[in-house]
Amino acid sequence: MHSHKSALFGRRGFLVGSGALGAMLLTGTAVAQARLEAAAAGIRAHDWHSLPRNDGSTAPAGPEELGGDFQLARGVDGSFEPGRTFESQVFQSDGWFNMVGMHWVADVPEGTSLEVQVRSSVDGARWSPWTPVGHVMEARGDEELPGGAETFTDAVELGRARAMQYRLVLETQNPALSPVVRRVTATQLDALDAPGLEDLSSRGRAIPFRVGNGGPPTARLILRHGPNGWGATDFEPGSPLYWEPYAGVYPTEFVTIHHTAWANNPENPVATMRAVWYYHAITLGWGDIGYHFLVDQYGNVYQGRDGGHATEGGHVSRYNHHNIGICLMGQFHPGAPDVPPGGEPTAEALDSAMRMAALEVAYWGLNPLESAAYPKPDGSCRPQLINPRICGHRDWGRGASCVRTLCPGINVHKHLPAIRQQVAALLPDIRDFHLMRILERDA
């Protein structure tokens, strides 16, 4: 879920089509309570609010301040220079953290661009490479801030860190215009107390992940809850963070494959799951993780949004109805930072993604080799698109669509034709829906 230097969208688009949610604003009290619940489950967060100044300094700020004024430098004739970079102060944490989500308020006129990058350190001396943040996300609520809407991006997996910095890269194609950055917030997420995969194994036998008769299982289905669960927190109906699941309302017609665009091969995928849950559920206000299923480098499949495969997700802006999201953990676009040579997903991850797609296709009676029209087009950045039943996130970004992303990266997207063929070959061997029965929920 990653795109470089794309135009920065506002907050509105994600919730179009989920009308009641857009009107529900998150109060400070609700977020504070949610953070307490998450902390009790071993997930901690800290927000660093800062004002990037035009003189190169970084001023501390409150969550509502918009006093930053960093912009492109002016030449002697008053025109703006074509590019400029800002490096923030070092934000030193009292403890470890494993992920950071960046969000900011900025004026970005057409013809100009703003790219935000982050780097991390375990000791303040040795630093990771600068990494562009993920693609723009849509936060819950439709409120506009004075001076511009707040832009949120997906979180960046850091592995393990005690310090971080952000870098702003401004450019313009029009010497009369410049972006102006008003405030930048870094949400540091610490889920490193999460159990490891070996710890989950020691708690009892997990559910083997196998669909069809293709030999012994090589991975596991890791549920949200229970002794072998990754440890999600559920918000009850009535909470401002509760997301009505709409289970069964929108029968599945597409399976969309994603990548997270975080660093490949996370040290502890369970900690990664918990951190991204927090960022999606609380920081973005979605009430839960956006994907239905996530797949780690070992092929383990993690039960995602609401635990129900018929639940409306939050993974393709404006195209979430009738659409299941399966996400591979990692960055699989060549040339992106932190991508190993080749940047290929593991065979185990591809196999599990294929088998989960096969299970969905079989359950819903779809033909994996056909394409179909999206059933709910409208005039608001959601044109009628015809896509394969098993497609990639980027396939929803054609024409007048407001979806702009490279996800799931070339090195996953190129495997989709083979995955569709493998699913078609596997369908006759799917005798029952044991896994799907586990994932079903009442409408």
Side-chain angles (χ1 to χ4, degrees), residues 48-252:
W48 295 96
H49 304 288
S50 63
L51 307 178
R53 300 291 197 188
N54 211 33
D55 63 6
S57 63
T58 310
E64 307 301 326
E65 289 186 63
L66 297 173
D69 59 1
F70 182 73
Q71 60 182 346
L72 293 168
R74 290 184 182 271
V76 293
D77 61 354
S79 62
F80 290 107
E81 300 290 339
R84 189 181 182 190
T85 298
F86 174 92
E87 288 188 13
S88 75
Q89 69 179 68
V90 173
F91 299 98
Q92 184 76 41
S93 176
D94 293 335
W96 295 104
F97 56 97
N98 65 303
M99 189 172 283
V100 62
M102 301 300 299
H103 38 117
W104 59 86
V105 179
D107 307 317
V108 186
E110 187 173 353
T112 72
S113 66
L114 163 64
E115 181 174 270
V116 180
Q117 305 171 0
V118 296
R119 68 174 183 171
S120 62
S121 174
V122 296
D123 57 9
R126 295 166 295 169
W127 289 89
S128 69
W130 287 105
T131 300
V133 298
H135 83 300
V136 170
M137 312 291 280
E138 303 287 355
R140 188 171 182 175
D142 200 23
E143 70 273 31
E144 297 291 324
L145 298 172
E150 187 158 17
T151 297
F152 289 76
T153 60
D154 210 347
V156 177
E157 168 70 47
L158 302 175
R160 186 177 292 267
R162 284 190 182 273
M164 62 148 295
Q165 279 183 291
Y166 66 81
R167 182 162 72 177
L168 310 175
V169 181
L170 276 56
E171 294 183 358
T172 187
Q173 298 175 354
N174 183 342
L177 298 174
S178 172
V180 182
V181 185
R182 306 296 185 186
R183 186 186 71 237
V184 177
T185 300
T187 298
Q188 292 179 350
L189 300 161
D190 170 21
L192 290 168
D193 288 345
L197 290 169
E198 358 21 87
D199 299 316
L200 297 187
S201 296
S202 70
R203 297 178 183 181
R205 184 172 179 269
I207 300 171
F209 185 71
R210 179 175 60 202
V211 176
N213 299 322
T218 58
R220 297 169 294 178
L221 174 67
I222 299 177
L223 300 178
R224 293 165 63 88
H225 304 298
N228 302 104
W230 58 265
T233 299
D234 295 331
F235 298 110
E236 297 298 322
S239 166
L241 281 166
Y242 177 72
W243 182 303
E244 173 61 44
Y246 296 112
V249 176
Y250 305 111
T252 294

Side-chain angles (χ1 to χ4, degrees), residues 35-44 191 193-195 230-233 274 277:
R35 289 192 167 196
L36 287 174
E37 293 180 35
I43 310 170
R44 291 166 291 277
D193 288 345
W230 58 265
T233 299
R274 289 188 173 194
W277 169 86

Side-chain angles (χ1 to χ4, degrees), residues 368-411:
L369 301 181
E370 74 174 3
S371 295
Y374 185 73
K376 284 180 64 67
D378 66 22
S380 178
C381 293
R382 188 167 70 199
Q384 180 71 80
L385 293 178
I386 296 176
N387 271 332
R389 294 293 191 182
I390 302 172
C391 59
H393 188 180
R394 65 194 297 172
D395 295 322
W396 297 105
R398 304 192 315 278
S401 168
C402 287
V403 177
R404 293 291 183 269
T405 180
L406 299 175
C407 175
I410 288 176
N411 288 341

